[in-house]
Amino acid sequence: MKVIAQTAALQEALTLTGQLVAARTPKPVLQCVKLVAADGVLTVLATDLEAGVRYQLGAVQVEQDGEALIPAARLAGIVRESADEESLTIEADADACHVRGAGSHFKIFGYDPGEYPAVADFDGDGDCRIASDALAEMISKTLFATAKAHSHYAISGVLCEVSGKKLQLVATDGHRLAQAKGSLADAAGRDVTAIVPGKLMSLIQRVAADDGETLEMKVEENQVLVRTARAVLVSTLVQGNFPKYSEVIPKEATHKAKINTAQFEHRVRQAALLTNEESRGVRLAFGSDEVVLTSRTPEAGEAEVSCPATLDGEPLEIGFNPAFLTDALRVIDADEIAFEMSASNKPAVIKAGTGFLYVLMPVDLG
Amino acid sequence: MPFPSDGASIRPLNRFRAAEDGCYPETMSIHVLPTPLVNKIAAGEVVERPASIVKELVENALDAEAGRIEIAVEDGGRKAITVTDDGIGMSPDDLKLAFVAHATGKISDDEDLFAIETMGFRGEALASIAAVSHAHIRSRRRGAESGYEVSASGGEIAPPRPCAASAGTAVSIRDLFYNTPARRKFMRTTATEFAHISEQLARLALPHPRVAFRLTHNGRESANLPPADSTAERVADLFGRELADALLPIRPRGDGVSVAGLLAPPAAARSSSKWQYCFVNGRYIRDRLLSHALREAYRGRIDVQRWPVAFIFVEIDPADVDVNVHPTKIEVRFRNGNQVHGALLAALRETLNRANLSPTARLGDSPASSEGNDRGEPASETPPPSSHDAPSVEAVAHDDNHRNTLDDARRHSLRQALADFLKAAPPRQQRLDFSPHANQAGAPPAGTDATSPSTAAPGPSGRLPLGDLGAPAAGHGAGDAAAAIMQVHNSYIVAATDDGIIVVDQHALHERLLYNDLQRRLAESDGTKLTSQRLLIPETVTVAPAEADALNRRSELLDRLGIEVQAFGPRCLAVQRFCALLAERGVGAADFVREIAGTLAEDDTTNPEQMLQRVLAMMACKAAVKAGEPLSEDEMRDLLARRREADKAAACPHGRPTTLTLTLAELARQFGRS
């Protein structure tokens, strides 16, 4: 194999694929990326056995087809330190891989490319197509709410529901739930329901955020595949039953407040300064024209900040984990949110813009 | 714990045999026992072993206002015990009655019995002792012209006769148990009996520091305690200067019950409760209330299998304590036990809270290793007092060739830690290098990437939320903000202090801080509860019926912890609310409830307060940063800054130390710079 690749493009490819390369693993091949040169294209492959990526570099000149399996960190380091070079030549034979720049030559010992696990490719048509920036936004509005602990595996992913021309993402960690709705580019070939691992979602986000292209998505028996112009992302699906989320979304509310998003977020952050590890809670007292946020740490002190808000309904006091509020508030683009509650021990709902809904449970401040 | 009763297991066998042999007397007539036999029987209670005689005789000397007491023992007390004092002495009339049972000069009517201020009062001791030995008393009253002597042998009393004597009294007891062969057999080796006598001396000498004591064994001086100004001095003479210097004085408090004394820091805890000396009105006693108070005060500061060293003196109105419970007066009964317990516990806690309790790391013999995890340590501790030349625990490395491999391993691991300290420094620099990876525009959502730098808001990223507490990390402990700090093996924090290096176990310290926070929070007022996060989707947990039952009965406890469970089908519970601290740290509600259920079901007898403390310790442990979790520098600084503000931070709730200190002086010594 011999290719001449643009350094910048190579670096981009290695940065993305590097996300799936394990730092520590008993299998050394999993610390590698696989390079495949064929048909005038260089493909960089990486997998952690759950998720995989195939990234195609167009800006290359393939001199000789072939494959190489190279330690990822080593190669990424060389490319990073060769940023001043326009291009690098990568040549691999049975013994080693040679990376050459204008005044540099690196010889890296790799592994047999045949030992690398297969990374599925996106064949045929997808189930649905969606604008990449729209999907990236929906992911950012839900991904934060997934469960981080291993205890409840089914909610460690994002529920992805395709129906007609609509796509819906739902994530929850058992304390709060985020839901984002969006439109597909055209009607989907079939309805799909799948739990996509958070890791793949954040990969999609990285690939999708930069340009206005259209992504294709396909769900097979136990895996999901996403195709962009340059990359194919694949992952096994999260198995298990996602909770019946529609049951926990309150249907009505007796107290509805409207608050400026940025101001509210700012005030919540301020109030959070005087919470502590053991009593993470901010008390929100909704009055007719403002909401007063108070917090207290017994040995440290207290905070009281207020924020204009219009309330429809009786005054209400309710406590929240401030992180649960700021997590949602910082991904909302709309200027104003609707904050809907019915009691201090019942779930509250934040609605903003089109298609974003966030349910959060209050805390009981002892 | 029930004592295995030898008698109980033997008796039926004997009875069986007796019946078989037909040995039961046909008729039994009841008659009053002759006095010598009564005294012999009494001797069984009072005179357990030679040390009991020392106790009785020295107490008599103390009651006689002695300023100097000499105890001479031969062959562990089996051959002879002589106690000589310079007290007020006895008149010939006194001497006549000295060996008569229930003859005493210390009390005279009922009322005296309930206001006892002397050590003895029962009037049994000398009579009992004389019944089982050859006893001899020589005494001269202060100011009297001549002395008298009297002797008794196996209960046969000879009349007093004049003799030459110095002021005071000398009692000598020879051939103990000569006429009761069974008891004689039960005496142990000379060394054992003498060890008991030494221990007895400590119990007698501690509450009377102003009285000089001298103990000789077979003519050789074993202890010489000059009159001391304070108990601490007496402790130094008995147990060595090192222990005495480490002791924390209990500030005397007085409201009905006055408590004074000295406590050793947790690091000096021993593997036996022998080192707890409790005195009530100057009398050594063993009392469950008092030892419980000690255990409570040290709970969470020392390992559960170790015992604090303490010297406690309780002064209480004699009318409020009954010492006439046990012939040797080793047990007493308080009229108001709870008050005594409360006063003592308060005094002990106050003392411990006041003190800085970080153990000091020693390269040679670190308290961490001897106080810490090695449960199976050799029980090499000798019974206390025989030595005022107690061996120093602090061995100097280069002049000790008999250092065992354990010590070597320990030194090696510390050396390794220091080597790692130095080796690991360069990577810190590298991390500051500008990496194009980290230079992405638009921060990813918190938590999607475990290595993402912590965002400004307290994100639920599962990371230790210490750096974002709002407390300005840099402002904390500005004095050493610039000082070197680092994490080794993602488990220990090593930091420079003004006078050396501290090594902190990150999990143990964080656990301790959380435990304190939780405790403080619940102690704020009676009804306070922990902040509780409601669950949007209740977690279900399957438990055994006994566990469900235990949870049910302790719903109040759970409520205080911010946990609410509801029945959800047979053997199934749904967690509706969960402690916010644990929820935030990603602890599974179902798993934790299952664990609590197990604990509650198992340990149903413990009182609610103890149960609460146990569960709090469990919570702190779950929520605390684990060993192996990397910490940012800010997080480390914050943790260390809080170490200083927190009391009891010297040990985690399980009693393991959180911090080891390696002083510059120790370093200098190890490097031969001193």
Side-chain angles (χ1 to χ4, degrees), chain B residues 574-608:
Chain B
V575 185
Q576 301 286 351
R577 291 189 295 134
F578 192 49
C579 171
L581 167 71
L582 295 180
E584 171 131 1
R585 294 286 292 153
V587 178
D591 294 341
F592 191 74
V593 167
R594 194 177 300 120
E595 204 166 315
I596 289 191
T599 309
L600 290 176
E602 239 171 62
D603 210 344
D604 205 35
T605 49
T606 38
N607 73 40

Side-chain angles (χ1 to χ4, degrees), chain B residues 304-319:
Chain B
V304 284
Q305 304 198 350
R306 300 189 72 82
W307 303 80
V309 176
F311 306 92
I312 291 168
F313 300 87
V314 176
E315 293 295 327
I316 187 168
D317 184 340

Side-chain angles (χ1 to χ4, degrees), chain B residues 44-59:
Chain B
E45 287 183 327
V46 177
V47 187
E48 203 184 342
R49 57 182 0 144
S52 326
I53 293 176
V54 170
K55 172 176 179 291
E56 298 298 337
L57 298 184
V58 171
E59 282 185 356

Side-chain angles (χ1 to χ4, degrees), chain B residues 200-282:
Chain B
Q200 197 56 252
L201 174 70
R203 295 175 183 181
L204 292 161
L206 278 167
H208 301 98
R210 288 197 170 75
V211 179
F213 288 86
R214 184 159 174 270
L215 172 66
T216 58
H217 188 210
N218 297 336
R220 257 185 40 226
E221 182 176 279
S222 161
N224 188 358
L225 310 174
D229 284 336
S230 66
T231 311
E233 285 296 305
R234 180 57 39 107
V235 170
D237 289 336
L238 275 167
F239 305 123
R241 178 59 58 188
E242 193 186 22
L243 175 64
D245 285 349
L247 291 173
L248 314 164
I250 299 173
R251 274 189 202 148
R253 298 156 60 102
D255 35 349
V257 182
S258 124
V259 176
L262 298 163
L263 296 181
R270 306 296 162 114
S271 58
S272 133
S273 62
K274 255 188 199 156
W275 294 72
Q276 294 177 0
Y277 290 90
C278 292
F279 303 90
V280 170
N281 292 348

Side-chain angles (χ1 to χ4, degrees), chain B residues 77-233:
Chain B
R78 292 189 292 190
K79 200 163 165 209
I81 299 169
T82 306
V83 173
T84 311
D85 68 56
D86 59 354
I88 53 175
M90 290 195 275
S91 68
D93 291 341
D94 292 340
L95 282 175
K96 244 184 257 175
L97 289 171
F99 293 125
V100 177
H102 306 297
T104 182
K106 296 177 184 179
I107 59 173
S108 49
D109 57 28
D110 274 11
E111 278 179 34
D112 290 349
L113 189 55
F114 297 103
I116 289 162
E117 291 176 10
T118 50
M119 302 287 284
F121 59 88
R122 292 167 65 116
E124 295 180 321
L126 274 177
S128 306
I129 294 167
V132 292
S133 66
H134 302 297
H136 177 264
I137 305 177
R138 173 186 305 204
S139 184
R140 176 160 70 91
R141 279 192 80 80
R142 278 181 199 158
E145 298 242 320
S146 68
Y148 287 82
E149 62 181 356
V150 65
S151 58
S153 192
E156 301 289 317
I157 306 167
R161 53 195 179 92
C163 72
S166 49
T169 305
V171 183
S172 75
I173 306 296
R174 308 191 68 83
D175 304 323
L176 181 62
F177 297 139
Y178 79 98
N179 53 353
T180 50
R183 295 298 300 270
R184 199 167 58 224
K185 270 191 223 153
F186 274 101
M187 282 197 283
R188 300 302 177 86
T189 63
T190 302
T192 307
E193 294 300 347
F194 185 71
H196 282 283
I197 290 173
S198 290
E199 170 65 19
Q200 197 56 252
L201 174 70
R203 295 175 183 181
L204 292 161
L206 278 167
H208 301 98
R210 288 197 170 75
V211 179
F213 288 86
R214 184 159 174 270
L215 172 66
T216 58
H217 188 210
N218 297 336
R220 257 185 40 226
E221 182 176 279
S222 161
N224 188 358
L225 310 174
D229 284 336
S230 66
T231 311
E233 285 296 305

